[in-house]
Amino acid sequence: MEEEYESLGSNATMTQNAIAGALAGIGEHCLMYPIDSYKTRVQVLTAASQVSLKNCWRGVYSVILGAGPAHALHFATFEYCRSKFASGKHDLMASGAAGACATFAHDALMTPFDVIKQRMQLRETTYRTVRECARKVYLNEGWTAFYISFPTTLSMSIPFQSIQFATYDFALSLLNPANNYDPKSHMLAGALAGVVASSITTPLDVIKTLLQTRGSSPDPRIRHCSGLWEAAKIIGERQGAQGFFRGFRPRVLTHMPSTAISWSVYEYFKWFLSTTSASSSSSSSSSTSKTTTP
């Protein structure tokens, strides 16, 4: 069983990786959603009164709709690219490059859902449903509103995911050098990866939040902000260097357990699906052998 798990990256099918990734993504985002809502409200520049946990689950259905398919695509792409790039069991460069490829695929699908989620997370939002929010954002701001933050999202997510995957593989090589299925080492490595990656990329996350919530802002300059550099300029002028670390603590507190959950759930279902498939194949081979024996 241990030998089977050591080579899951190459032996698990794309479907198994996709299913495991979808379950991991939904679990990760839903369990930590209230803290993510708090982080969004902290990062918005308009009013301190927004910082609360009231209605902290509003918009969660947008995450459920988007996170499943986006994470399925993410992990399936990661495993495929890592199997193509890797030259050894713990190849950090291959993990980082595979993480970058997986991130592009994930963000291209997930960004519109993330925009809807953040609009609904704001305390003063008037949107009652995900469908209503999507329709009104489209009617008032057009398709560009759903992808205005995409370049910023990529500029944050690619280093975030590359750092996360490389840190996870490095931590796992120390905690679990045999690469067996071990929930404790997967959880600890995931938590460490989440802390390191979220800490380094917080400034870009603040910029992304401003862009994704700009249409709900009463501030004309924020509402008409055109992109990454203008958003950074607004934050720098109004908040200084510390403005780029608004929401640092809730962001780290979100990503530390959520990344641990994501990797733990992913590794479990990858192991479960692969071993179940192996058992079925073994039973099928045994039955075939009995049938063909004279």
Side-chain angles (χ1 to χ4, degrees):
M1 191 71 69
E2 289 179 355
E3 290 179 358
E4 290 173 358
Y5 184 75
E6 287 178 15
S7 56
L8 277 179
S10 58
N11 287 348
T13 67
M14 289 289 283
T15 300
Q16 290 170 342
N17 289 327
I19 293 171
L23 294 169
I26 292 171
E28 168 195 351
H29 284 289
C30 290
L31 288 171
M32 301 309 300
Y33 194 80
I35 299 178
D36 184 67
S37 293
Y38 179 80
K39 186 263 310 180
T40 296
R41 295 170 187 178
V42 169
Q43 289 181 340
V44 172
L45 299 180
T46 52
S49 61
Q50 290 177 319
V51 182
S52 75
L53 283 174
K54 185 179 181 181
N55 297 323
C56 60
W57 289 98
R58 189 165 47 202
V60 70
Y61 291 117
S62 180
V63 166
I64 293 173
L65 288 171
H71 276 70
L73 182 61
H74 186 195
F75 279 102
T77 302
F78 171 72
E79 293 287 6
Y80 175 79
C81 290
R82 183 170 63 172
S83 69
K84 296 296 183 182
F85 300 159
S87 59
K89 186 183 291 185
H90 293 290
D91 188 332
L92 302 188
M93 290 294 291
S95 295
C101 295
T103 298
F104 185 89
H106 170 276
D107 287 354
L109 181 58
M110 187 66 190
T111 295
F113 293 97
D114 199 38
V115 171
I116 295 168
K117 177 206 75 170
Q118 289 203 311
R119 294 293 181 96
M120 295 189 72
Q121 284 177 330
L122 298 178
R123 186 178 179 185
E124 76 280 8
T125 188
T126 58
Y127 304 124
R128 291 170 296 178
T129 66
V130 168
R131 184 176 181 180
E132 179 192 358
C133 180
R135 184 175 61 85
K136 288 187 175 180
V137 169
Y138 171 69
L139 290 175
N140 295 331
E141 303 171 52
W143 282 111
T144 56
F146 295 104
Y147 279 97
I148 184 66
S149 67
F150 186 58
T152 304
T153 300
L154 281 180
S155 68
M156 176 192 71
S157 296
I158 287 178
F160 178 91
Q161 296 295 350
S162 297
I163 292 166
Q164 181 204 151
F165 280 115
T167 303
Y168 179 78
D169 260 10
F170 175 72
L172 206 60
S173 70
L174 299 178
L175 297 169
N176 184 9
N179 202 30
N180 301 323
Y181 174 64
D182 176 27
K184 183 178 179 180
S185 66
H186 297 314
M187 183 168 288
L188 289 174
L192 179 61
V195 169
V196 173
S198 62
S199 297
I200 293 172
T201 58
T202 292
L204 288 166
D205 188 56
V206 176
I207 295 171
K208 184 195 76 159
T209 297
L210 185 148
L211 291 171
Q212 291 190 163
T213 61
R214 65 173 193 160
S216 300
S217 175
D219 187 313
R221 189 179 175 194
I222 294 176
R223 195 164 57 249
H224 296 97
C225 181
S226 60
L228 187 156
W229 296 114
E230 187 178 352
K233 187 176 180 180
I234 292 171
I235 294 167
E237 288 176 357
R238 299 185 181 183
Q239 300 288 328
Q242 65 181 8
F244 292 97
F245 288 91
R246 288 173 66 95
F248 176 81
R249 290 181 181 177
R251 176 170 163 78
V252 172
L253 286 174
T254 297
H255 282 285
M256 181 174 68
S258 68
T259 309
I261 292 166
S262 178
W263 277 109
S264 298
V265 172
Y266 175 66
E267 297 283 9
Y268 170 74
F269 278 103
K270 195 170 71 167
W271 169 80
F272 175 78
L273 291 168
S274 182
T275 52
T276 300
S277 177
S279 297
S280 299
S281 298
S282 177
S283 298
S284 177
S285 298
S286 177
S287 298
T288 303
S289 176
K290 289 178 180 179
T291 302
T292 58
T293 300

